Amino acid sequence: MVIPHYYVPFESGNIYVHRVTAPGNSRVVVVLPGRSMSARNFWHFDPGTGITHAEQLAESGIDVYMVDALGFGNSTGTACANYNRIYFAEQIATVLYHMPRYDHVSGLGFCNTTAVPLVLLAQGWLDSAVVMSPTIFDTQWCQDNPAMTRLWQRSATESGYWSTSLSALIEQQLDKISDSEIGAPQRVATWHSEMSRLTQDYTSYDLSSWTAPRTWWLDRITWPMTHHTHGFDTAMLNNKRILFTRGEHDVEVPETWLDRACEYFDMADIETYTIPGATHFALWERGYQAAVDRVRKFLLS
């Protein structure tokens, strides 16, 4: 199994790509970051078995390319101030252009990066797409939920980047939101050591914190409110294969959000899966195997 990394130049920076591959694999999945963390924190994560989720996929016949777009993880350089889904998709398309040829190419987004693999699927760069905890809205939803949009705007417009840390993640998101729903953390014993190992290599890492593009997080509402589209012609998703997953106890992405994503793109061939017992962070939790298995089944079909 090969686990090299490399950089892909893009405008004023360099996109970081970490790949896990195995000889003879004819399928590939390109995995995107979440809100502030690299895809490696989710997929190149060892739950204590000595093998990461990405390595599981590679051993099954699926190469895994985990991409740090500009402003994320190990990327270098300066990202565009107006960080939106098209700018993000252009970066991933650049990575795809320079990759080896595969028989089947899929993209995987998580929550805030929902729109990006769908853009690429509509543009023909991908053969299928996976989105875990889909978070995508249209103009009508934004207009019908002014309190939510104002809250997001207030929390995400102080500067071009925001700073976060493991302690902030635990205190502000895990303890107060995800873990409160299920009564106690379900994260595997290796979680903290794995998170520390993976984040300490980030280009922006400083003692215990790191940064991520703040304006990108707002794309979920600024794009539909400004452009009145999803960033692509939805007809181009006709019969394209999409898997949407959500944790059974994901309070950050309610079931209605998954249902809405299915309605927006009902012209596609959509599969859905509820990860048993999981929160928003299924890949870090003791029931992670169900999530890995379902994604793998989709990618191999």
Side-chain angles (χ1 to χ4, degrees):
M1 188 175 298
V2 179
I3 313 177
H5 63 266
Y6 62 95
Y7 287 92
V8 176
F10 182 84
E11 294 186 356
S12 57
N14 294 284
I15 303 163
Y16 178 84
V17 182
H18 190 106
R19 64 180 180 177
V20 179
T21 65
N25 285 354
S26 61
R27 291 172 176 261
V28 66
V29 60
V30 176
V31 190
L32 312 184
R35 183 171 70 174
S36 68
M37 282 186 159
S38 167
R40 289 172 290 120
N41 287 76
F42 298 94
W43 285 93
H44 206 42
F45 173 85
D46 178 2
T49 61
I51 182 172
T52 70
H53 305 329
E55 289 166 349
Q56 278 200 56
L57 294 184
E59 288 184 353
S60 301
I62 307 156
D63 285 350
V64 183
Y65 285 62
M66 292 159 280
V67 180
D68 292 348
L70 298 190
F72 290 91
N74 291 26
S75 66
T76 64
T78 305
C80 167
N82 181 27
Y83 211 124
N84 60 46
R85 61 192 64 186
I86 301 303
Y87 175 72
F88 207 130
E90 288 172 348
Q91 295 182 63
I92 307 305
T94 301
V95 172
L96 289 165
Y97 178 80
H98 291 285
M99 279 170 45
R101 300 302 97 188
Y102 287 88
D103 293 343
H104 188 279
V105 182
S106 189
L108 189 152
F110 175 67
C111 190
N112 208 61
T113 48
T114 293
V116 181
L118 300 181
V119 170
L120 294 164
L121 185 61
Q123 292 178 345
W125 285 99
L126 302 176
D127 300 304
S128 63
V130 178
V131 178
M132 306 184 76
S133 298
T135 304
I136 192 164
F137 310 108
D138 63 4
T139 307
Q140 189 62 55
W141 188 92
C142 295
Q143 293 172 345
D144 292 343
N145 293 271
M148 181 71 81
T149 57
R150 284 197 297 270
L151 174 64
W152 286 339
Q153 287 168 333
R154 285 198 302 271
S155 64
T157 55
E158 296 171 7
S159 69
Y161 288 84
W162 61 14
S163 178
T164 189
S165 64
L166 285 184
S167 59
L169 174 65
I170 294 169
E171 294 169 9
Q172 300 171 15
Q173 201 163 4
L174 300 179
D175 286 352
K176 290 184 178 180
I177 303 176
S178 292
D179 294 346
S180 65
E181 174 70 10
I182 55 177
Q186 294 192 65
R187 292 184 295 284
V188 297
T190 58
W191 180 80
H192 200 281
S193 62
E194 281 295 280
M195 290 300 104
S196 298
R197 174 181 69 85
L198 292 161
T199 55
Q200 285 175 10
D201 287 338
Y202 286 7
T203 303
S204 64
Y205 190 83
D206 181 16
L207 297 180
S208 63
S209 64
W210 64 90
T211 61
R214 188 184 296 269
T215 51
W216 159 244
W217 188 73
L218 272 180
D219 175 81
R220 61 172 69 183
I221 55 174
T222 54
W223 185 275
M225 292 175 68
T226 304
H227 299 85
H228 310 292
T229 71
H230 292 296
F232 55 89
D233 181 358
T234 56
M236 298 305 294
L237 295 183
N238 188 43
N239 295 324
K240 297 290 184 71
R241 297 183 62 243
I242 301 172
L243 171 65
F244 289 137
T245 74
R246 175 186 170 272
E248 181 182 5
H249 303 295
D250 188 344
V251 293
E252 300 187 58
V253 175
E255 188 172 1
T256 54
W257 288 15
L258 184 147
D259 293 340
R260 183 178 298 107
C262 292
E263 292 172 6
Y264 289 158
F265 312 117
D266 61 1
M267 71 295 298
D269 179 8
I270 295 177
E271 300 175 31
T272 64
Y273 180 66
T274 300
I275 306 165
T279 71
H280 192 59
F281 301 103
L283 294 170
W284 297 341
E285 297 172 341
R286 290 190 287 274
Y288 68 86
Q289 195 61 55
V292 175
D293 287 346
R294 186 63 184 91
V295 171
R296 173 168 46 198
K297 178 180 177 182
F298 178 82
L299 295 175
L300 288 173
S301 62

